[in-house]
Amino acid sequence: MECILISVSDVIKKMPISKVESNPESDAADPALDPVPVLTSGSVGQMRHSSLFKDLAADILGQGSYLRFRAHGNSMAPFIRNGDTILVEPKKASEMCIGDIVFYRRAGGRHVAHRLIGKSGNDGSLVLTTRGDNLRHLDASVFPEQVLGRVVRIESQGGYLWVGGRVGSTLNRLLLYSGFGGSYTQDILRRGLTKLWWLVGGRFR
Amino acid sequence: MELTKCYHKSSSMVARRVADEVILVPIRQNVGDLQSIYTLNEVGARIWELLDNEGTVADMVSAVAKEYEVEQPKAEADLTDFLAQLESIEAIALV
């Protein structure tokens, strides 16, 4: 399963602030046809390949703001689990460090947050190599124009972990190297480090 | 609400049209949170468009009453209520 493919599709509509009022003078009136402006609050659902998610992510990160949304998938488990909420900082490909979790858009339109394990080339021909912690294979090469930002915070089960600072970068690298090769032992080590990191660096409400 | 008031859209709100509706994502403390969004229905989306004209509330009432063939008092009541809601979530502000 691909990780952090998020998108938007079905907006959950709830808590209408303004409800359509029926016309007491006409039982035949259909409230659905009553042209009343309605504002509803909700959240963005999960759906792959959503052009809306692409647009919103590009708009928000493009103006220099952070993007917060619910991740979907297990390719970064246990570091980021299905249903965790992540915060993405706008960042250029050239500013990424090895170990960072890069948020980028694939050619097919899917959005992915996978760990950066290699950089090659210079500013003009930079190519990033990424992989999900829980995957054995590398992703297709990532080019600078695909990169939207990096994950700096993970919210899970009532707590959160900040991975945007120097300590976070160091631990990101530790996690990266512990997972190289994908052997059973390395997998155990990676999971252990993840738990330890959450215990030491996690903030719980 | 005075009908001579003018509103403008807030720059701290990212808006995207989806079919007949408009999705609003508030930018609070420099974070756009997709878990906390607002949706405007078709009529609300039309009013969101009318806000681009920088007209008065009265101008918008007239446009809504004409386009949706509703009586002026009803259009005025619905629109002022709706604008107050948009103002409360800081999607718009007085000029």
Side-chain angles (χ1 to χ4, degrees):
Chain A
M1 179 183 285
E2 220 44 78
C3 165
I4 315 268
L5 302 169
I6 261 246
S7 336
V8 179
S9 69
D10 45 340
V11 174
I12 302 167
K13 293 180 179 176
K14 58 184 181 182
M15 300 190 311
I17 296 171
S18 171
K19 293 179 179 175
V20 177
E21 294 177 1
S22 61
N23 181 357
E25 295 177 358
S26 171
D27 292 339
D30 182 354
L33 299 176
D34 199 4
V36 175
V38 178
L39 171 72
T40 55
S41 61
S43 65
V44 164
Q46 294 179 340
M47 190 184 82
R48 302 176 184 199
H49 308 299
S50 162
S51 61
L52 176 59
F53 181 80
K54 181 191 79 173
D55 292 340
L56 289 174
D59 286 352
I60 292 167
L61 292 166
Q63 69 177 45
S65 297
Y66 289 67
L67 177 70
R68 182 176 181 268
F69 61 91
R70 182 158 294 182
H72 176 65
N74 288 304
S75 65
M76 283 295 288
F79 196 65
I80 302 174
R81 286 174 287 198
N82 188 32
D84 286 354
T85 297
I86 60 176
L87 184 68
V88 175
E89 173 188 38
K91 201 93 170 170
K92 292 179 182 173
S94 58
E95 299 169 324
M96 297 287 179
C97 297
I98 301 297
D100 282 350
I101 302 169
V102 183
F103 179 62
Y104 69 95
R105 185 162 54 89
R106 284 188 173 159
R110 289 180 176 181
H111 289 76
V112 179
H114 280 175
R115 200 175 296 282
L116 178 63
I117 64 172
K119 287 170 81 172
S120 60
N122 53 33
D123 282 350
S125 59
L126 188 62
V127 179
L128 306 185
T129 304
T130 59
R131 192 192 66 185
D133 284 358
N134 204 27
L135 300 177
R136 300 288 169 92
H137 61 272
L138 299 178
D139 299 333
S141 296
V142 179
F143 299 97
E145 59 271 21
Q146 294 174 259
V147 174
L148 296 166
R150 66 166 184 154
V151 175
V152 291
R153 179 174 145 136
I154 302 150
E155 298 170 34
S156 182
Q157 298 176 347
Y160 71 86
L161 189 64
W162 178 260
V163 293
R166 285 187 180 179
V167 175
S169 290
T170 304
L171 290 171
N172 262 333
R173 285 190 180 215
L174 274 176
L175 272 177
L176 167 66
Y177 297 131
S178 71
F180 255 145
S183 70
Y184 179 75
T185 308
Q186 286 167 321
D187 191 48
I188 295 291
L189 178 60
R190 179 167 54 82
R191 288 174 187 277
L193 273 174
T194 300
K195 282 190 177 178
L196 181 65
W197 191 354
W198 268 97
L199 277 173
V200 175
R203 300 284 180 270
F204 297 94
R205 295 185 188 98
Chain B
M1 180 179 288
E2 293 176 26
L3 297 179
T4 53
K5 285 180 177 177
C6 290
Y7 285 94
H8 68 88
K9 293 178 182 176
S10 167
S11 58
S12 65
M13 195 68 74
V14 170
R16 275 283 167 179
R17 185 158 196 121
V18 184
D20 293 335
E21 300 181 331
V22 165
I23 306 291
L24 298 179
V25 183
I27 306 295
R28 293 179 179 136
Q29 296 180 313
N30 204 28
V31 176
D33 187 356
L34 298 187
Q35 317 239 84
S36 174
I37 64 166
Y38 300 94
T39 308
L40 310 184
N41 71 349
E42 184 182 347
V43 185
R46 176 60 186 138
I47 294 168
W48 186 254
E49 275 181 359
L50 290 171
L51 283 161
D52 286 330
N53 297 341
E54 298 179 351
T56 63
V57 174
D59 294 334
M60 286 192 281
V61 168
S62 298
V64 168
K66 185 178 177 184
E67 288 179 32
Y68 294 97
E69 297 178 344
V70 294
E71 294 176 358
Q72 197 89 358
K74 173 163 173 49
E76 183 180 325
D78 288 343
L79 192 120
T80 53
D81 181 48
F82 182 69
L83 291 175
Q85 291 174 49
L86 289 178
E87 197 174 11
S88 72
I89 63 168
E90 299 176 355
I92 59 172
L94 282 171
V95 174

